[in-house]
Amino acid sequence: MKLIFLVPFLIISLCAMKGPLTAGEAPKGILIIPMPGEITVLNGTFVMNGKTSIQAGQDILVKAEQLRAYLSPASGYMLPINKIISGENLIELKLSNELSSLGEEGYKLNITNQKVLITAYKITGIFWGIQTLRQLFPNEILREAEVAGVTWMIPCVNIVDKPRFKWRGLMIDYSRTFWNTRHTKKYIDAMAFYKMNRLHMHLTDDQGWRLQIDKYPELTAKASKFDTIYHEPKEREGFYSKDDIRELVRYAAAKNIEIIPEIEMPGHTSEVLSVFPGLSCTGELVSIHPNGKGKVNAKEFCAGKEETFTLLQNVLSEVIELFPSKYVHIGGDECDKARWEKCPFDQKRIKDEGLKDENELQSWFVRRIEKFINSKGKKLIGWDEISQGGLSKSATVMFWRGGKEKIVLDAVNQGNDVIMTPTSHLYFDYPYGGKYTDYPYNGISTERVYAYEPCSGILKNVNPEHILGVQANFWSHIDRTEPRMDRQIFPRLLSLAEVGWTESKNRNWDNFSLRLKHQYKSLDFLNIYYMDTNN
Ligand code: ACM
């Protein structure tokens, strides 16, 4: 065995102590991200070897198989399931109704010399326990081919763990740049490893429509491509077929990740108007061009035309059928209302519906779409502008305009759920740099993300039940290649993973930095590029 693999365990042995530790004072040998709630480090180690087997009930056999698929390739061990050789060591997965206080996602992990036991109230928790177990092994466990010369040794510990927030997300913008299935699966794998559970796919925007819609094949035929005059590399355009999405949804669900589709409206829709110009106020010709290039024409639907709603409801019907998530995100941000002010159709709508102005027209638009979405059994999410002109009581707000936290306060006080994705900390297309104390910010460092506290400032006493969680947003107009995108997102996503999972009292930047260095090697094995910096 190489000494390098012994070092963490020597440190653990030195630190072995009785009683639970909080994460902030976690021993150096525990290099997990996100840090679990409660850890007791015991003396001794468990060594996975050629005689280790897995045991699991029929109800979670699928997780036993997943565990074997995670551990076998690098170790080369067969890890038979439910074929116990008595006296040899064992990894057992078990559901227990007694753990209901840990919720859907919580789990316990108990490791002794002879046995690893993961128990949880629900199968979701079993999967997160498996991720913790993977992280306790040398990071080479992530390799896809057998690695010689590693002793697969883990420390004896007792862990009790559950997440702080339900929603721990990442939004990827597929419109400005298309990202293919392989790349998306790589992100799903990495997110799962760090216990993140929501992938928000921004599938439509001014720069391209990225989802097959059977009723309107023109959308992908025309609006998934950039105009040839811009000489965009081919890999930046394209779209997801319905079969691609079904495959991604299945792949993600097996890793506790829910995929939430976003279909933008009423603004950021020039790609639709390039196909159906009649749906804008002016009916003018609209072109699709890479962000920052070309002339910007009409960008929003006309809210006065019934044809707008016919198209959107037909599209949403197909989206709802395709994605099992209970949420549909309808965008709602940055709608330029100047054309609505001059449009006879919109002005007639305002008059007929007794609305005060264009803000109320937007609110009316969103409520009409929400009613449709609700009628299909789904819930609406929108960017925080859906509060302009009056927020529906049942919509979920995705807060993004950092500095305007009053929007969150008002929404929560009205009883709405909110997901926190502020520009001030969680916009991962923004550059690195800057200290976390800088404000207004001139960059978002990994440390600044780590320091993010959603329930602070005017939100300190807000009802935490309505803060569903946190999410990073990656807009793909600037960083448009895989290495560049990866480096924008990693390692900042690891900071966010801990913000979303670990109670704030247990967060500690110095301790996290140590664990982060260890995790760089995991990112290497997950084929992820990252910014190797703590700044
Ligand atoms: C946004 O960044 N416009 C949601």
Side-chain angles (χ1 to χ4, degrees):
M1 186 181 68
K2 292 196 186 116
L3 185 62
I4 189 166
F5 300 122
L6 260 176
V7 169
F9 307 114
L10 289 174
I11 296 169
I12 287 164
S13 301
L14 291 173
C15 295
M17 54 180 78
K18 296 190 172 55
L21 291 157
T22 60
E25 48 177 330
K28 289 195 181 81
I30 300 290
L31 301 168
I32 303 164
I33 291 177
M35 182 49 87
E38 212 177 272
I39 305 173
T40 309
V41 181
L42 309 163
N43 285 319
T45 54
F46 173 96
V47 180
M48 177 170 67
N49 58 41
K51 291 183 179 165
T52 303
S53 63
I54 300 175
Q55 191 178 1
Q58 285 302 313
D59 47 356
I60 49 172
L61 211 50
V62 60
K63 292 296 133 183
E65 282 157 6
Q66 211 171 4
L67 174 64
R68 173 165 60 191
Y70 277 138
L71 301 182
S72 278
S75 69
Y77 300 139
M78 297 258 305
L79 302 173
I81 297 172
N82 291 343
K83 291 193 189 104
I84 302 156
I85 312 153
S86 84
E88 296 303 337
N89 67 11
L90 182 69
I91 305 176
E92 184 179 0
L93 312 179
K94 204 162 134 186
L95 290 177
S96 165
N97 282 332
E98 282 163 27
L99 296 186
S100 62
S101 64
L102 293 180
E104 299 258 324
E105 297 193 88
Y107 67 92
K108 276 190 183 181
L109 173 60
N110 302 98
I111 304 177
T112 64
N113 295 354
Q114 285 299 302
K115 184 171 173 180
V116 172
L117 174 64
I118 299 175
T119 42
Y121 178 49
K122 296 284 179 194
I123 197 164
T124 312
I126 296 283
F127 181 78
W128 293 141
I130 288 172
Q131 302 314 310
T132 300
L133 176 61
R134 291 174 81 202
Q135 288 204 17
L136 285 171
F137 279 107
N139 355 44
E140 279 75 6
I141 200 68
L142 296 174
R143 299 200 78 155
E144 283 162 17
E146 193 170 335
V147 189
V150 177
T151 299
W152 303 102
M153 184 163 72
I154 54 178
C156 293
V157 288
N158 287 333
I159 289 177
V160 184
D161 199 15
K162 64 179 175 138
R164 177 180 178 197
F165 290 112
K166 276 192 211 137
W167 189 292
R168 306 177 300 278
L170 171 66
M171 184 221 73
I172 296 178
D173 172 7
Y174 290 86
S175 175
R176 275 50 180 257
T177 307
F178 180 66
W179 310 101
N180 63 24
T181 300
R182 178 199 55 76
H183 186 62
T184 301
K185 283 185 175 175
K186 180 177 96 164
Y187 272 67
I188 289 170
D189 291 343
M191 286 170 70
F193 191 59
Y194 296 108
K195 302 191 180 80
M196 300 202 61
N197 66 354
R198 299 284 193 277
L199 175 64
H200 163 180
M201 296 181 80
H202 185 79
L203 290 164
T204 73
D205 209 309
D206 298 313
Q207 280 72 31
W209 182 280
R210 308 288 176 210
L211 179 66
Q212 176 187 350
I213 299 294
D214 296 331
K215 197 164 181 82
Y216 303 107
E218 309 92 314
L219 282 172
T220 42
K222 281 190 179 171
S224 71
K225 300 186 179 99
F226 295 104
D227 195 314
T228 50
I229 61 167
Y230 299 108
H231 305 289
E232 281 287 302
K234 278 278 162 240
E235 68 269 17
R236 291 184 186 174
E237 52 185 42
F239 65 92
Y240 278 109
S241 72
K242 288 192 170 175
D243 280 344
D244 293 337
I245 293 289
R246 285 186 197 105
E247 184 189 337
L248 274 184
V249 164
R250 258 195 314 272
Y251 189 85
K255 299 184 173 182
N256 281 3
I257 293 173
E258 180 176 316
I259 297 188
I260 296 94
E262 180 183 349
I263 304 294
E264 269 273 19
M265 64 190 81
H268 281 290
T269 48
S270 37
E271 88 291 16
V272 184
L273 302 175
S274 77
V275 180
F276 301 113
L279 300 183
S280 76
C281 299
T282 57
E284 71 200 274
L285 206 61
V286 175
S287 71
I288 297 190
H289 42 78
N291 196 68
K293 296 182 182 166
K295 181 174 176 301
V296 177
N297 321 72
K299 293 181 294 185
E300 61 289 321
F301 287 122
C302 175
K305 293 181 181 171
E306 275 310 291
E307 297 86 330
T308 295
F309 295 94
T310 305
L311 175 121
L312 286 174
Q313 292 182 5
N314 286 334
V315 165
L316 288 171
S317 294
E318 292 192 30
V319 168
I320 285 166
E321 212 176 287
L322 188 57
F323 291 86
S325 169
K326 76 172 178 187
Y327 291 105
V328 178
H329 197 307
I330 59 92
D333 59 321
E334 299 179 314
C335 179
D336 179 355
K337 302 182 188 81
R339 275 171 285 262
W340 286 1
E341 284 169 19
K342 297 196 195 95
C343 171
F345 296 99
D346 286 303
Q347 292 308 311
K348 180 169 185 315
R349 182 79 82 189
I350 287 175
K351 189 154 167 279
D352 290 351
E353 297 294 333
L355 306 171
K356 194 170 78 193
D357 56 15
E358 288 70 27
N359 278 341
E360 286 200 359
L361 179 58
Q362 171 165 312
S363 173
W364 174 86
F365 187 115
V366 173
R367 283 169 200 257
R368 177 163 169 178
I369 292 293
E370 185 181 19
K371 211 181 252 176
F372 178 76
I373 288 175
N374 291 164
S375 77
K376 303 261 180 188
K378 304 277 179 168
K379 284 171 71 77
L380 178 143
I381 303 180
W383 297 110
D384 60 49
E385 288 95 327
I386 63 168
S387 61
Q388 288 170 356
L391 176 64
S392 139
K393 281 196 164 30
S394 42
T396 297
V397 177
M398 193 164 265
F399 174 69
W400 71 278
R401 289 178 295 170
K404 297 191 182 212
E405 278 73 9
K406 175 81 167 45
I407 295 170
V408 179
L409 189 65
D410 291 345
V412 170
N413 286 344
Q414 188 183 282
N416 294 71
D417 288 340
V418 180
I419 299 154
M420 305 295 281
T421 78
T423 45
S424 56
H425 294 80
L426 303 184
Y427 263 44
F428 287 3
D429 48 306
Y430 286 16
Y432 283 80
K435 281 272 168 226
Y436 75 90
T437 45
D438 290 353
Y439 195 85
Y441 35 92
N442 58 14
I444 300 180
S445 64
T446 306
E447 185 177 359
R448 182 174 176 82
V449 176
Y450 194 79
Y452 180 52
E453 173 44 56
C455 302
S456 63
I458 62 165
L459 302 177
K460 197 163 191 303
N461 298 316
V462 96
N463 179 355
E465 296 208 338
H466 286 303
I467 305 291
L468 292 189
V470 289
Q471 175 177 294
N473 295 333
F474 173 76
W475 301 100
S476 60
H477 53 301
I478 298 169
D479 293 293
R480 309 189 61 204
T481 63
E482 183 167 341
R484 289 185 61 145
M485 173 183 180
D486 284 4
R487 286 192 192 102
Q488 287 300 116
I489 294 177
F490 294 93
R492 291 188 283 200
L493 197 71
L494 277 65
S495 288
L496 181 65
E498 190 145 313
V499 170
W501 182 279
T502 308
E503 293 295 332
S504 52
K505 68 175 174 10
N506 288 339
R507 275 166 32 205
N508 175 300
W509 169 252
D510 291 337
N511 183 275
F512 177 81
S513 306
L514 286 172
R515 288 180 279 126
L516 185 57
K517 287 212 166 59
H518 171 80
Q519 293 295 337
Y520 284 159
K521 205 161 151 196
S522 302
L523 294 177
D524 287 334
F525 296 143
L526 290 164
N527 298 314
I528 285 186
Y529 297 88
Y530 50 90
M531 199 71 90
D532 184 358
T533 170
N534 276 348
N535 73 5

